[in-house]
Amino acid sequence: MKRLAYALFLVVIGAMPAAAEWEISGYTGFQTAPHSDVKGDANGSSFDFNAEWEGKPFEAPPYYGFRATWWQSKNLGYALDFNHAKVYADGDTRRDNGFDRLEFTDGLNIITMNVFYRWPKENRRFTPYVGAGLGVAIPHVDVEIGASRTFEYQLTGPAVQLVAGASYDLNERWAVFGEYKGTYSQNEADLEGGGSLETDIITNALNVGLTFKF
């Protein structure tokens, strides 16, 4: 039985397209976020202001991400990407509007399904690529206003991302890469004690990472 199972495994592997390959990647980098409007209500009062966001990518918990990519052909691939971005509202901004805490720092988690296109060439280790994806935002909402504090993960809305970069093969199994990653997410969070908070957040990041191919 074991020999039969092994033989079937070899047949399945042999039947797969020769160009197909899998990659597992991890990355970190420098991430920022521009200002955005924050509106909603809490404790019986409404708020509407422009928040100045800070990324602080190298402070705990750090900015990072993981990606699994299936290259089904020489040029076209599909990927599942998890991006642990972060945003903190500037201290003066949040205090002036009654917030003791206003951040998505563990983190502004973006999960997307993506399509990637690459330009490989024979006998060249350097490969440019671009990608785009759709998904959801599942941030850790950390909001304290008055006597109310919200401190939990929530599914807050849809998200999109754009990626452009290049990889460099170290050998047949390992590669390093650098890329730009931009994300946009619509976030509507429920606040403890009643009320809600809405904000659309853009992040910009310059990533460096390591890829394992199999």
Side-chain angles (χ1 to χ4, degrees):
M1 182 63 70
K2 290 183 178 179
R3 290 182 179 180
L4 178 59
Y6 181 66
L8 290 174
F9 174 76
L10 291 179
V11 170
V12 171
I13 294 298
M16 292 179 66
E21 66 182 77
W22 282 91
E23 296 180 350
I24 301 296
S25 304
Y27 58 86
T28 186
F30 181 74
Q31 174 252 309
T32 63
H35 301 189
S36 69
D37 291 334
V38 176
K39 61 183 179 180
D41 62 278
N43 303 322
S45 301
S46 62
F47 51 84
D48 188 349
F49 61 96
N50 189 256
E52 181 179 345
W53 300 109
E54 299 176 274
K56 302 181 182 180
F58 305 119
E59 295 186 10
Y63 165 83
Y64 63 88
F66 298 102
R67 183 161 65 232
T69 308
W70 174 45
W71 293 102
Q72 72 158 26
S73 69
K74 180 180 179 181
N75 300 105
L76 187 65
Y78 302 98
L80 175 66
D81 188 286
F82 169 76
N83 185 215
H84 180 276
K86 304 190 301 174
V87 290
Y88 301 74
D90 173 72
D92 290 337
T93 301
R94 59 178 173 78
R95 283 191 294 268
D96 290 345
N97 289 277
F99 286 81
D100 294 306
R101 298 178 70 90
L102 175 55
E103 57 191 61
F104 303 99
T105 50
D106 200 23
L108 178 63
N109 302 303
I110 307 293
I111 300 175
T112 53
M113 290 297 300
N114 304 267
V115 177
F116 277 82
Y117 190 88
R118 63 182 178 179
W119 291 269
K121 287 187 177 180
E122 295 295 333
N123 302 318
R124 188 184 71 175
R125 294 187 175 187
F126 182 76
T127 304
Y129 60 85
V130 294
L134 299 173
V136 293
I138 312 177
H140 188 267
V141 182
D142 189 352
V143 175
E144 186 174 357
I145 180 170
S148 172
R149 185 178 185 188
T150 306
F151 190 75
E152 62 185 7
Y153 290 98
Q154 295 187 26
L155 176 63
T156 56
V160 298
Q161 78 168 14
L162 297 174
V163 181
S167 65
Y168 181 81
D169 291 339
L170 300 175
N171 52 45
E172 292 184 354
R173 292 295 183 186
W174 294 96
V176 292
F177 64 91
E179 65 184 24
Y180 163 79
K181 178 193 286 289
T183 71
Y184 168 80
S185 61
Q186 295 179 344
N187 299 275
E188 183 174 354
D190 296 323
L191 300 182
E192 189 71 26
S196 64
L197 180 147
E198 296 180 30
T199 185
D200 297 344
I201 298 176
I202 295 171
T203 67
N204 296 293
L206 295 177
N207 298 331
V208 292
L210 182 67
T211 293
F212 176 71
K213 305 177 183 183
F214 58 97

